Amino acid sequence: MSVSPAPAPPLTPEDAARSRDRRRVHRARLGGRRWQLLWLLAGPGILAMLGENDGPSMVSYATTGAAYGTGFFLPFIVLTFAMAVVCQELCMRVGVVTHRGYGQLVLERFGPVWGWFAAGDLLVTNLVTLIAEFVVIRIGLGYFGLGAPVAAVAGLGLVVCTLSGGRYWRWERIVLGLALFNALFLVAAVLVHPHWGAAGHALVTLTPFPGGSLNTLLLLIASTIGATVTPWMVFFQQGASADKGLTTADLRYGHLDTIIGAVLAAVFGCGVFLVGAALHDRGGAGLLGLAGAGFPGALARVSGHAVATVFALGLVEAGAVAVLTISASTAYAVGECVGVTHSLNSRPRQAALFYGTSISVALIAAGVTLIPGAPLLAIALNANVLATVLLPVTLVFVIMLASDRELMGRWVSSAATNRVAVTIVGFVSLAGAAYGIDSFLRAVHLIPGA
Amino acid sequence: MTDQPEDPMDPPFGELEADEAPLSALEPGQFAADTARPVPRAQLSRRARTGLWLLRIFTVAVSAMVIYTFVSELHG
């Protein structure tokens, strides 16, 4: 690493904090300590992936398992995480090379119209998803007899506590620690004694293919995609990679971080699917109407209180981690588009909008869940679908940024990666449109079945 | 953020050696002042601009359908 010959820019507390983190990385690299390097550099990828194993996603996986049993959707979950790796690797690469977040780059490179469209999409999907997270925390805590106010206060308190300190590293390590409890879903899966042979058969053959209602099938396909690849993950991982101070020398570890996150999230996601599948043969389809709210109780009746307790705790964890990561991604987006300080390494007084956005968006979402009679469960189940529908525009800009030679130089994405990414955009667009159009035509009675 | 390091191995900035100062630990272009400088605007072809607008209209239309369905199901 060389000293910059250019005149020194004015140092900010953000630079100082990031510099400390980078010094540890340099020491580990000079000492050839690879595991320590991985420990120091991992974070944004694992958090994006485990953050997306959030409340609505886990409810969606479990609902799909309960509706169709072990079959096509199990390998489909794995496939969607493979798609997520391609998309997240691209945005990580852009963040590392340019040291800038997604919102800032779209706004500066393609103009304010596209920048604000991107931020607008994110604000809508994040607010809906955050409401869903508080709903799921409430469902999890509800199993232990705790009400909505407790869920709202606990979620908000967590956001405020993790943001205090003005250090990205501290925030990341706390959220990483919490995110590891996503493994509770794997524990629940083991406890329900799933049919491992059927799971293996489904993973290899992608069968049995689900039958029944086409609209339900399209809904669950769109929902499963939205449970794995979403706009906030792009904003978050690119912003966090830049905020953490990753450089091109760290690209290999950034890639590894993304893959580790995807593998962990896929394993835990498949775990919750298998928990849902355990209900399939015992009235799973009938439980669909109770999706989310009914799961811990249904599991208690079918598999015992231990499974239900672990599952309910998992829901609380999934919702809590997502509240932290999604509120952070909203803050990155707003800070980047407005053009003010947007770093977890900055002091709250110097980045009032950044920290204020993170807390405000969580506050609004928590407030909505306290409104009596609000259709909370319906919002939770539709959050993933909305994310799927709005995702293609986000992904197209990621591909354009990653393949922009003027911006990326020698780190530009390969033609093969771009082809795979474009295929993913086509698939996501098709899945979202198929559900949207089919549902709309049924709703206006142009085709039967509404 | 305080100037005191979290890692006991890290001295406070005031006591850093020259080669350990923030300048040496961060890459050029990584400082907050550098990242606040805007990147140049891309020149999009007419075809690219049209494609982006078509995609935007497509997503807005499908989103409207999903939201309409959601609201009608709530009232149904």
Side-chain angles (χ1 to χ4, degrees):
Chain A
M1 190 217 38
S2 61
V3 175
S4 167
L11 285 181
T12 63
E14 179 187 337
D15 292 324
R18 191 170 296 128
S19 178
R20 285 199 172 106
D21 296 340
R22 293 305 300 169
R23 220 169 37 245
R24 289 193 196 116
V25 172
H26 295 320
R27 282 186 195 137
R29 182 163 280 132
L30 286 173
R33 296 187 293 272
R34 291 182 182 177
W35 286 108
Q36 192 187 356
L37 259 182
L38 181 61
W39 163 249
L40 292 171
L41 296 173
I46 295 175
L47 282 184
M49 294 292 183
L50 288 183
E52 186 47 26
N53 261 11
D54 59 350
S57 300
M58 294 323 221
V59 167
S60 174
Y61 295 149
T63 304
T64 310
Y68 294 111
T70 307
F72 166 77
F73 274 101
L74 189 61
F76 187 68
I77 290 172
V78 178
L79 175 73
T80 55
F81 275 105
M83 285 163 39
V85 169
V86 176
C87 303
Q88 295 306 113
E89 204 275 341
L90 284 177
C91 65
M92 177 276 295
R93 181 180 285 267
V94 176
V96 166
V97 174
T98 64
H99 306 303
R100 288 165 171 84
Y102 173 86
Q104 181 184 353
L105 278 182
V106 171
L107 190 129
E108 291 172 0
R109 200 82 179 120
F110 304 111
V113 172
W114 293 109
W116 281 106
F117 265 144
D121 286 352
L122 187 83
L123 281 176
V124 170
T125 53
N126 277 11
L127 189 59
V128 175
T129 311
L130 275 172
I131 293 169
E133 306 302 347
F134 277 101
V135 171
V136 171
I137 294 174
R138 175 180 162 177
I139 290 167
L141 290 177
Y143 183 73
F144 304 104
L146 300 169
V150 178
V153 170
L156 267 176
L158 201 58
V159 172
V160 174
C161 287
T162 51
L163 285 178
S164 62
R167 287 285 269 126
Y168 173 86
W169 172 261
R170 178 179 179 274
W171 180 89
E172 182 192 82
R173 297 296 127 166
I174 292 172
V175 186
L176 264 181
L178 285 172
L180 291 179
F181 285 95
N182 211 247
L184 284 169
F185 290 107
L186 188 61
V187 175
V190 171
L191 290 175
V192 297
H193 305 295
H195 196 301
W196 295 110
H201 181 266
L203 283 169
V204 173
T205 64
L206 279 76
T207 58
F209 196 79
S213 159
L214 174 68
N215 190 255
T216 303
L217 179 62
L218 292 174
L219 167 68
L220 292 178
I221 287 176
S223 181
T224 304
I225 294 171
T228 321
V229 200
T230 58
W232 81 258
M233 290 169 74
V234 171
F235 274 85
F236 175 78
Q237 191 167 352
Q238 187 169 326
S241 298
D243 203 1
K244 189 176 171 71
L246 299 185
T247 69
T248 49
D250 310 320
L251 271 175
R252 197 160 62 93
Y253 286 91
H255 190 56
L256 203 55
D257 174 39
T258 307
I259 290 176
I260 292 171
V263 170
L264 288 176
V267 168
F268 302 155
C270 287
V272 78
F273 176 89
L274 292 173
V275 172
L279 299 173
H280 176 64
D281 298 330
R282 304 174 211 185
L287 289 167
L288 272 178
L290 299 171
F295 263 109
L299 279 171
R301 287 195 298 277
V302 172
S303 304
H305 284 290
V307 178
T309 300
V310 172
F311 189 85
L313 286 173
L315 289 181
V316 174
E317 177 276 337
V321 169
V323 165
L324 298 175
T325 51
I326 294 174
S327 59
S329 86
T330 315
Y332 277 130
V334 170
E336 288 166 12
C337 288
V338 174
V340 295
T341 304
H342 47 272
S343 171
L344 287 163
N345 277 324
S346 54
R347 293 170 179 160
R349 263 179 296 177
Q350 293 160 332
L353 184 68
F354 176 78
Y355 286 101
T357 301
S358 192
I359 294 169
S360 301
V361 75
L363 185 67
I364 293 168
V368 170
T369 62
L370 295 177
I371 298 172
L376 301 178
L377 209 52
I379 291 173
L381 292 173
N382 278 276
N384 288 337
V385 177
L386 196 60
T388 304
V389 170
L390 291 172
L391 182 63
V393 180
T394 309
L395 291 185
V396 164
F397 279 117
V398 170
I399 297 168
M400 289 172 76
L401 290 171
S403 57
D404 187 335
R405 194 166 289 280
E406 194 183 336
L407 202 64
M408 299 289 287
R410 61 184 282 234
W411 309 105
V412 72
S413 59
S414 70
T417 305
N418 289 344
R419 274 196 293 274
V420 174
V422 168
T423 307
I424 291 170
V425 171
F427 177 64
V428 171
S429 305
L430 191 66
Y435 171 70
I437 293 169
D438 184 69
S439 302
F440 179 73
L441 293 179
R442 286 170 197 269
V444 297
H445 306 292
L446 284 176
I447 58 175
Chain B
M1 215 271 318
T2 67
D3 283 346
Q4 292 305 311
E6 290 178 359
D7 186 339
M9 289 178 66
D10 289 340
F13 275 145
E15 299 170 16
L16 285 177
E17 297 296 325
D19 66 342
E20 285 190 311
L23 266 180
S24 69
L26 295 178
E27 277 191 352
Q30 208 175 5
F31 291 89
D34 292 322
T35 58
R37 208 168 292 138
V39 296
R41 185 84 168 259
Q43 296 301 316
L44 292 178
S45 66
R46 190 188 176 95
R47 200 172 141 199
R49 283 201 306 272
T50 308
L52 284 174
W53 275 111
L54 287 176
L55 187 62
R56 164 56 54 186
I57 292 165
F58 165 80
T59 52
V60 169
V62 176
S63 302
M65 288 180 192
V66 169
I67 292 167
Y68 177 86
T69 307
F70 171 66
V71 173
S72 67
E73 279 176 0
L74 284 181
H75 291 100

